[in-house]
Amino acid sequence: MYANVIVDISNDAVDRVFDYIALDDTEVGMRVRVPFAGRTVLGYVIGLSEHTDFDREKIKPIIKNLESVPKLKPEILQLCLFLAKHFFLRLSDCIKLVLPSCIRLDTQHEQIEYDLSLLLDIDTAINLIGKRAKNQLALVASLNEEGMISYQKAIELFGRTSVNSLIEKGIILKNSRRKNRLQYIDKKTIQKNILTPSQMNAVNTIKNQNKTFLLQGVTGSGKTEVYMTIIEDCLKENKTAIMLVPEISLTPQMMDRFNSRFPNDVAVLHSGLSEGERFDEWERIFNNKAHVVLGARSAIFAPIENLGVIIIDEEHDSSYISESNPRFVTHDVAKFRARFNSCPLILGSATPSIESYYKAESKQYELVKLPERINGLEMPKIEIIDMLNEVMDGNTSPFSRKLLSKLDDCIKRGKQAILFINRRGFASFVMCRECGYRAKCDDCEVSLVYHKEDNELKCHFCGKRYRMLTNCPNCNSTNIKYGALGTERVVNELKSIYKDIPIYRMDNDTTRKKDGHKKILEQFSTHTPSILVGTQMIAKGHDYPNVSFVGILDADVSLYNSDYKSNERTFQLITQVAGRAGRKTNDGYVVLQTYAPNHYVYRFAVNYDYEGFYDREINLRQTTGFPPFSIILRILVSSVSDNRAKEVTKKLFDKANQLKDKYGKSIMFLQAMPSPVKRIQTKYRYQILTRFVPDDKIIKDFYNIADMIEKDVSIFVEVNPNNLR
Ligand code: ADP
Ligand code: ZN
Ligand code: ZN
């Protein structure tokens, strides 16, 4: 028997199947050790066959099977083949997506814990022990009361000698148990709600249908409740579920809701886990010990079987498209798995992506709506403040007068406020007023951000840190100008107004440590009145009943991000952030500060008019030829050598131009240029940007062009990228 093996080497030249002689118990899906080019490497068996097209004389046997139960289940193996084909990836890279490194490379192992229990009835035990062994008597008494005590705890309480002596005498028993490194301490019971008619309708429409649904409902309309009901029904039918949320929505609240509803049946997978925790969670899923997977993007690869539903919550979120290699689109992966299991895929959002809504309109998805907030609560009123007026009236602070008065009102009523500013640090740049010098990163073509707390300048692209300037390195002037404000400065200013009120800051800098989000949110939720200042990570998933005021300090930040998704993203962000206010009471109020008060994005956002916004936006996309009416593809070329990057770009561009001849008008735009950020982490960056009518053949041809190996240059293809930088 021959085994078809993929070797674990990330290299285009070996990205194919090699045949080896299978061992007796080699099975499809196993990890194996194989000889390869004079050394031994890790491999994965993706097939077994009686025949081989290779020279039989030269085929070598597998050295060793690395497991007795294949780590790659049949569905997951099929998924890898799909990924490779659909996203033009190497098979070995696909396997890296589906097997976390702790599993793939055996870097973690299970931990065992022991429990003690009584073997005899209590009277017999006491008789056998005798009156003098006080500790032993105390232990059996506790065991009689509690049934089970952990070995470790018993040793601490009663001493090792007593414990071991009781075990030796056969009075108590030591049982081994697999330890779960991830522990849920606060096991709250959260009441299950009786569904409203529209929730009920959603559940009944979606249940057991082998289709993709777009579930649109404003924030607080009860989508999560719908998801949980459908998952519950799946579990009753012995099926399983995957629910994906954006990384930062994996809040303690979400975990509590799921753990309370599905006790001991939820496994979580996200980037905040330690390797050991990830190993345990993955194995619990693999061994069918958990039937609900709750996680971020990569949880879509969970080795769960017999799926009854897949849910992508906040489906419009950009985190569902991975930005680095191996690049994939979560929606497509989810669709594959849903079709494989003949189960529904639910895409949920208050503000679906334009592309998904377009698919719903053209009947590729079925649209299901939850039109109202629970309990008839209204969406909070959003008021637009023209910041130019503030400046004209002599107010140069980052806060408009209206914002301050509403904030004050909120605090006086003992409520909580959230202030949103999508920029971290203190100031977006520092610049010399005399000569115009601007502090930039040595390795990236970007301005450095001032972080006052650490008195440092930081590069937000590569993380490099620099000492803050006291005077200009160019002309020595001390007249330094600060750029647009960030979270740190907002907190600073607020502290001078509210000296006795807790003010929390949530951004990449304050949440870097493990459970960083959790700690800040826990503190915020237990203090009223209080203020939370944060970047977009405050926008999602939080459900705090006491938040009545939301201030959006500089809405224009995302609006002028010159790419085709910036309108869409701004609309989504405003709706999300505004949705944090007034979730339990009708006193929510939102102030939105802007220099472009008449922009249509804001006009539609203040009325929560998604359909209105969509109509306008889809029209624009159609007339300008942007997705979903076209595909945007970028070939990014980067190298530490500027010349090499340019050379290769030129070479690629010449080939790309031949495609233009081949496809004619179908290719609407094709240009080579430096990337918007010309240098990141010492690498010069150039790009070939193209737009063409949706056609897989053209995508494939561009991939083929980019599939060349160039010394010291990396080439990366992105389809409809989230951001072009
Ligand atoms: P969404 O996911 O759309 O933001 P949630 O499912 O989180 O909405 O619901 C918002 C709030 O309303 C939550 O506090 C939830 O517990 C509550 N809720 C949801 N459905 C019901 C219901 N049928 N009856 C009462 N309360 C509900
Ligand atoms: Zn840098
Ligand atoms: Zn200067």
Side-chain angles (χ1 to χ4, degrees):
M1 197 65 115
Y2 298 101
N4 318 123
V5 173
I6 302 287
V7 292
D8 188 53
I9 300 172
S10 210
N11 181 330
D12 283 318
V14 299
D15 185 39
R16 54 187 183 88
V17 179
F18 295 92
D19 283 358
Y20 289 89
I21 297 167
L23 303 180
D24 279 347
D25 39 15
T26 300
E27 285 178 45
V28 175
M30 278 183 180
R31 293 175 308 135
V32 292
R33 220 150 251 297
V34 291
F36 189 85
R39 48 191 182 123
T40 72
V41 300
L42 175 63
Y44 313 94
V45 180
I46 65 158
L48 285 172
S49 105
E50 299 284 354
H51 306 282
T52 178
D53 297 331
F54 291 87
D55 182 353
R56 284 166 181 253
E57 302 291 297
K58 288 194 181 145
I59 295 185
K60 296 185 180 131
I62 286 174
I63 296 169
K64 190 179 177 209
N65 296 335
L66 292 175
E67 55 227 359
S68 50
V69 180
K71 289 286 186 213
L72 291 162
K73 293 181 177 180
E75 177 185 350
I76 300 297
L77 205 51
Q78 290 301 313
L79 180 62
C80 286
L81 299 176
F82 164 79
L83 291 171
K85 191 155 174 271
H86 191 77
F87 298 112
F88 307 93
L89 300 174
R90 292 183 197 121
L91 264 171
S92 62
D93 286 341
C94 298
I95 290 168
K96 284 182 186 144
L97 286 175
V98 303
L99 292 183
S101 64
C102 56
I103 302 290
R104 204 161 46 85
L105 307 173
D106 287 319
T107 53
Q108 293 289 332
H109 298 281
E110 59 186 56
Q111 283 187 357
I112 301 294
E113 265 183 340
Y114 298 96
D115 288 322
L116 300 176
S117 57
L118 258 183
L119 265 180
L120 309 172
D121 72 78
I122 181 75
D123 294 333
T124 323
I126 290 173
N127 275 334
L128 278 173
I129 295 166
K131 288 205 176 87
R132 286 190 9 231
K134 292 264 160 21
N135 273 340
Q136 298 188 20
L137 287 172
L139 173 53
V140 294
S142 306
L143 279 174
N144 190 44
E145 225 163 74
E146 290 177 36
M148 201 122 69
I149 294 178
S150 96
Y151 179 63
Q152 214 45 47
K153 193 173 159 202
I155 287 176
E156 280 162 30
L157 292 176
F158 308 102
R160 188 178 295 271
T161 358
S162 317
V163 175
N164 287 341
S165 143
L166 283 174
I167 296 170
E168 269 162 37
K169 283 190 260 185
I171 297 174
I172 63 175
L173 184 68
K174 185 175 163 189
N175 314 287
S176 67
R177 172 167 59 82
R178 199 168 163 164
K179 183 183 172 188
N180 219 19
R181 273 163 277 204
L182 193 66
Q183 299 281 345
Y184 298 106
I185 304 133
D186 24 286
K187 285 217 164 74
K188 298 186 186 113
T189 329
I190 297 168
Q191 219 186 333
K192 193 163 132 182
N193 294 305
I194 296 163
L195 297 189
T196 62
S198 29
Q199 285 175 318
M200 199 88 90
N201 169 56
V203 170
N204 289 331
T205 312
I206 296 169
K207 224 160 81 176
N208 293 325
Q209 297 288 316
N210 180 10
K211 280 201 235 171
T212 303
F213 294 90
L214 182 61
L215 179 65
Q216 186 191 16
V218 293
T219 50
S221 60
K223 293 185 294 296
T224 310
E225 209 67 34
V226 167
Y227 304 149
M228 292 196 296
T229 306
I230 292 173
I231 293 174
E232 198 165 46
D233 287 346
C234 288
L235 295 178
K236 277 186 201 138
E237 295 170 18
N238 289 321
K239 292 184 180 165
T240 63
I242 294 180
M243 161 120 164
L244 303 180
V245 295
E247 188 84 55
I248 49 185
S249 310
L250 267 176
T251 56
Q253 275 184 337
M254 189 65 115
M255 307 267 210
D256 287 346
R257 272 174 98 172
F258 268 70
N259 281 308
S260 155
R261 189 76 168 254
F262 313 111
N264 301 318
D265 215 8
V266 182
V268 299
L269 289 175
H270 58 87
S271 66
L273 299 180
S274 69
E275 283 287 280
E277 288 169 343
R278 180 168 303 122
F279 177 86
D280 287 348
E281 295 299 286
W282 196 91
E283 289 259 304
R284 278 177 66 219
I285 301 166
F286 184 81
N287 296 323
N288 301 317
K289 294 275 183 341
H291 300 95
V292 181
V293 175
L294 177 63
R297 177 176 75 208
S298 59
I300 193 61
F301 303 116
I304 196 160
E305 286 172 286
N306 204 13
L307 277 165
V309 67
I310 302 176
I311 297 153
I312 303 184
D313 191 32
E314 314 276 11
E315 69 89 25
H316 61 276
D317 194 85
S318 57
S319 70
Y320 290 121
I321 300 175
S322 70
E323 298 211 331
S324 50
N325 234 346
R327 192 177 184 278
F328 64 90
V329 179
T330 311
H331 293 54
D332 296 1
V333 185
K335 269 174 219 165
F336 175 88
R337 294 199 74 175
R339 294 305 81 85
F340 192 96
N341 290 279
S342 306
C343 76
L345 166 62
I346 310 176
L347 310 174
S349 176
T351 51
S353 71
I354 296 288
E355 296 197 56
S356 291
Y357 203 80
Y358 179 73
K359 284 188 177 146
E361 281 218 311
S362 50
K363 304 279 180 255
Q364 299 172 57
Y365 297 164
E366 186 170 333
L367 185 63
V368 180
K369 290 200 183 197
L370 293 177
E372 273 151 24
R373 272 192 159 179
I374 295 291
N375 298 332
L377 278 180
E378 284 161 31
M379 295 302 288
K381 178 175 167 45
I382 305 180
E383 183 173 1
I384 298 182
I385 300 295
D386 184 349
M387 289 306 277
L388 196 59
N389 281 342
E390 295 293 313
V391 178
M392 304 277 264
D393 290 349
N395 175 17
T396 51
S397 99
F399 310 119
S400 61
R401 290 158 294 182
K402 186 68 177 221
L403 186 140
L404 286 178
S405 83
K406 282 288 174 187
L407 176 63
D408 212 48
D409 185 45
C410 164
I411 300 297
K412 288 219 173 87
R413 286 189 295 122
K415 295 272 193 152
Q416 294 172 308
I418 290 181
L419 294 189
F420 168 73
I421 171 87
N422 215 2
R423 226 185 267 114
R424 62 197 174 91
F426 189 83
S428 59
F429 62 85
V430 291
M431 190 176 156
C432 170
R433 278 188 211 270
E434 303 291 328
C435 73
Y437 166 87
R438 207 171 162 137
K440 284 193 173 160
C441 178
D442 292 342
D443 298 342
C444 314
E445 188 62 33
V446 292
S447 292
L448 294 172
V449 177
Y450 176 37
H451 288 251
K452 190 169 186 178
E453 220 170 58
D454 313 315
N455 198 31
E456 272 179 337
L457 296 170
K458 289 186 194 167
C459 173
H460 283 190
F461 278 74
C462 72
K464 209 164 169 172
R465 303 153 113 183
Y466 302 78
R467 211 174 309 146
M468 176 56 188
L469 316 170
T470 43
N471 40 9
C472 171
N474 195 30
C475 72
N476 221 17
S477 157
T478 50
N479 194 356
I480 304 277
K481 177 187 162 150
Y482 297 107
L485 84 168
T487 46
E488 228 187 88
R489 192 169 144 217
V490 172
V491 169
N492 254 25
E493 305 249 344
L494 285 174
K495 278 188 177 156
S496 66
I497 307 174
Y498 296 105
K499 300 199 170 59
D500 310 320
I501 287 172
I503 299 170
Y504 304 100
R505 173 159 69 96
M506 193 157 110
D507 57 26
N508 266 334
D509 300 303
T510 59
T511 55
R512 200 151 284 165
K513 295 207 190 83
K514 194 166 155 57
D515 294 331
H517 299 99
K518 196 173 157 181
K519 284 175 192 148
I520 295 172
L521 289 173
E522 267 167 10
Q523 288 193 328
F524 176 61
S525 69
T526 48
H527 287 96
T528 45
S530 60
I531 306 174
L532 177 66
V533 175
T535 55
Q536 61 177 352
M537 60 174 72
I538 62 167
K540 282 165 198 155
H542 317 306
D543 190 13
Y544 293 112
N546 288 314
V547 174
S548 75
F549 178 70
V550 165
I552 301 173
L553 290 177
D554 189 349
D556 309 342
V557 178
S558 66
L559 195 58
Y560 296 117
N561 238 342
S562 58
D563 76 75
Y564 77 98
K565 278 188 187 170
S566 48
N567 288 339
E568 175 180 357
R569 224 176 276 135
T570 307
F571 184 88
Q572 286 159 351
L573 209 49
I574 293 170
T575 314
Q576 292 281 342
V577 183
R580 299 311 110 205
R583 291 175 74 87
K584 280 278 151 32
T585 41
N586 256 334
D587 63 350
Y589 202 91
V590 182
V591 164
L592 183 155
Q593 302 186 162
T594 171
Y595 285 95
N598 294 315
H599 199 292
Y600 73 86
V601 168
Y602 299 144
R603 295 264 149 241
F604 288 117
V606 295
N607 294 320
Y608 298 95
D609 184 4
Y610 177 83
E611 279 79 13
F613 169 73
Y614 170 81
D615 284 343
R616 176 94 189 236
E617 188 66 20
I618 198 80
N619 243 312
L620 183 72
R621 302 267 183 103
Q622 187 152 30
T623 39
T624 51
F626 275 86
F629 304 99
S630 68
I631 302 270
I632 293 181
L633 184 144
R634 164 163 92 156
I635 306 178
L636 182 70
V637 180
S638 59
S639 170
V640 284
S641 153
D642 193 16
N643 273 336
R644 283 289 292 144
K646 252 190 266 183
E647 248 170 54
V648 173
T649 307
K650 175 85 177 63
K651 199 148 81 178
L652 284 167
F653 188 60
D654 289 343
K655 289 201 200 170
N657 261 319
Q658 291 168 13
L659 287 186
K660 211 170 171 189
D661 297 338
K662 178 171 170 191
Y663 289 108
K665 280 212 182 84
S666 296
I667 296 183
M668 295 132 71
F669 178 90
L670 177 71
Q671 228 170 52
M673 62 194 106
S675 296
V677 183
K678 295 182 191 70
R679 199 164 158 250
I680 295 182
Q681 286 187 305
T682 74
K683 287 189 171 168
Y684 292 89
R685 298 148 46 86
Y686 291 84
Q687 64 186 24
I688 291 167
L689 202 58
T690 174
R691 218 153 14 97
F692 48 84
V693 296
D695 181 347
D696 287 347
K697 278 207 301 289
I698 307 183
I699 301 181
K700 185 152 205 301
D701 277 350
F702 274 107
Y703 266 96
N704 283 339
I705 285 181
D707 188 14
M708 54 185 200
I709 298 166
E710 288 283 345
K711 201 168 176 297
D712 305 327
V713 177
S714 62
I715 303 169
F716 183 49
V717 184
E718 294 166 283
V719 177
N720 293 344
N722 276 331
N723 65 60
L724 294 169
R725 62 182 198 194

